[in-house]
Amino acid sequence: MDFRLKVFHSVACNLSFTKASRELFISQPAISKHIHELEVQYKTPLFERTGSQIRLTRAGELLFSHTHSLLASYRQLDFEMNLLTNNFLGDLHLGASTTISQYVLPPVLALFIKMFPDIHVSVLNGNSRDIELALRDGKITLGLVEGTTRQNTMHYIPFMKDELVVVTHVGSKLAAYDELTLEQLCALPVVLRENGSGTLEVLEGALAKHQIKLSQLNVLLQLGSTESIKLFLENSDALGILSIRAVTRELMAGRLKVIDIEGFKAERTFSFVEPQGQNSGMEESFMRFASQHWQ
């Protein structure tokens, strides 16, 4: 593939010459030179520049859609050619929502890298919405998300069940409770994940089944990570609502306690997500490998 197209794709994904330079390990003047050559070749600007900001022109958007497909085809070609000689080589660009990237994915990645040391793996971390946007923009080729919302342009493949639980620190006054009613849950102080997180989305859906809105909860604050919520709970008399997979160690160590909520369940499914129509061998192989491990 023409390296200039790879340069263009990196700039288009990042909307930054500087970030593309870092990503491709070439100088920024070299990035500019490659883009200029493409603009001369196609006789049209590919980016509009406003101060320090850039965005794609209509011609740039068209070229971006083609380079995205071309890069996927080249990855598939490399994978299939290497399969013939049992050499597993290439790049795997993953994105995982926060709970999955912290508590589910790392053990699988360790085994995968040990088995296939010549595959270069990168992982982008963010909430479920961030991961779907990164897929759309071509920054990653496979996502692992935890929400329930489904985008029409994406294909979702379930791989694991999960449940949200209400927890508090064992030193909290609330640790005296073994079970709460939904009315009590609404009245007691609670710490939640940020807007856009899969965890909050699942909680919102589960509460809606009981005609309860998030705004009816006594929310002390929302935090951007599960770890920050767990640390907050260690120093407060509050409840947190988190994935059971995220608090397993703390429960076993006796630092956190699960409090049951009468008649209430907040369950979800973790899913792989990829753009509709994408069928790259590298991503398919990772999904099979990971699914076998989790089963």
Side-chain angles (χ1 to χ4, degrees):
M1 180 178 179
D2 189 333
F3 184 69
R4 295 176 302 175
L5 293 178
K6 189 173 184 179
V7 170
F8 166 79
H9 189 268
S10 180
V11 175
C13 282
N14 293 291
L15 290 179
S16 167
F17 282 64
T18 303
K19 290 180 180 177
S21 172
R22 293 173 186 159
E23 187 173 273
L24 298 174
F25 301 103
I26 61 175
S27 68
Q28 195 166 329
I31 295 283
S32 300
K33 177 177 178 291
H34 288 307
I35 297 300
H36 176 69
E37 288 177 357
L38 285 174
E39 290 179 329
V40 169
Q41 177 180 335
Y42 293 116
K43 298 181 177 65
T44 184
L46 300 172
F47 296 97
E48 290 181 359
R49 298 161 177 82
T50 307
S52 60
Q53 305 294 316
I54 64 170
R55 67 185 185 92
L56 289 164
T57 63
R58 287 184 63 187
E61 290 174 355
L62 176 62
L63 184 59
F64 180 62
S65 68
H66 282 284
T67 56
H68 187 64
S69 299
L70 283 169
L71 285 169
S73 295
Y74 269 88
R75 282 194 302 271
Q76 180 70 12
L77 174 62
D78 284 342
F79 181 80
E80 291 182 8
M81 291 298 289
N82 287 317
L83 275 181
L84 295 176
T85 56
N86 291 322
N87 293 323
F88 287 85
L89 304 170
D91 297 320
L92 180 62
H93 301 292
L94 302 175
S97 53
T98 309
T99 299
I100 297 173
S101 67
Q102 288 184 323
Y103 307 105
V104 177
L105 190 55
V108 174
L109 282 180
L111 291 172
F112 186 79
I113 292 170
K114 185 177 181 180
M115 187 169 291
F116 307 111
D118 293 322
I119 294 178
H120 178 259
V121 181
S122 63
V123 182
L124 176 72
N125 179 33
N127 62 40
S128 295
R129 195 174 301 165
D130 295 333
I131 299 308
E132 288 169 338
L133 287 173
L135 272 174
R136 184 199 67 185
D137 294 340
K139 294 180 180 178
I140 59 174
T141 52
L142 179 66
L144 298 89
V145 295
E146 57 199 64
T148 56
T149 300
R150 295 292 182 257
Q151 306 294 328
N152 292 334
T153 56
M154 300 290 171
H155 176 53
Y156 297 82
I157 305 152
F159 66 83
M160 180 183 285
K161 296 288 186 182
D162 186 40
E163 181 182 355
L164 303 186
V165 292
V166 175
V167 294
T168 193
H169 190 262
V170 292
S172 163
K173 295 176 183 177
L174 300 180
Y177 291 101
D178 291 322
E179 186 176 66
L180 296 169
T181 63
L182 275 169
E183 290 75 17
Q184 287 174 308
L185 177 64
C186 291
L188 293 170
V190 64
V191 186
L192 302 178
R193 284 287 307 278
E194 82 286 0
N195 294 332
S197 75
T199 299
L200 190 68
E201 181 187 313
V202 170
L203 174 62
E204 189 172 16
L207 289 171
K209 293 177 181 178
H210 298 269
Q211 291 75 51
I212 297 174
K213 298 179 180 179
L214 281 175
S215 58
Q216 292 175 251
L217 298 181
N218 178 15
V219 181
L220 279 182
L221 79 167
Q222 292 177 257
L223 294 171
S225 77
T226 298
E227 289 301 307
S228 59
I229 291 178
K230 289 192 287 188
L231 287 171
F232 184 90
L233 292 178
E234 288 183 12
N235 299 280
S236 73
D237 293 315
L239 302 172
I241 303 178
L242 300 169
S243 163
I244 187 66
R245 299 182 184 280
V247 295
T248 301
R249 289 186 178 182
E250 288 78 9
L251 294 174
M252 292 179 67
R255 296 196 297 274
L256 292 179
K257 173 185 177 179
V258 171
I259 300 176
D260 293 327
I261 307 300
E262 184 182 340
F264 180 75
K265 285 284 186 183
E267 298 175 324
R268 61 180 172 182
T269 300
F270 292 150
S271 298
F272 294 111
V273 56
E274 57 185 355
Q276 288 281 11
Q278 176 177 301
N279 188 21
S280 174
M282 185 76 74
E283 285 73 25
E284 292 292 332
S285 293
F286 178 78
M287 285 191 281
R288 287 196 300 270
F289 179 92
S291 296
Q292 288 171 1
H293 172 82
W294 287 319
Q295 287 173 4

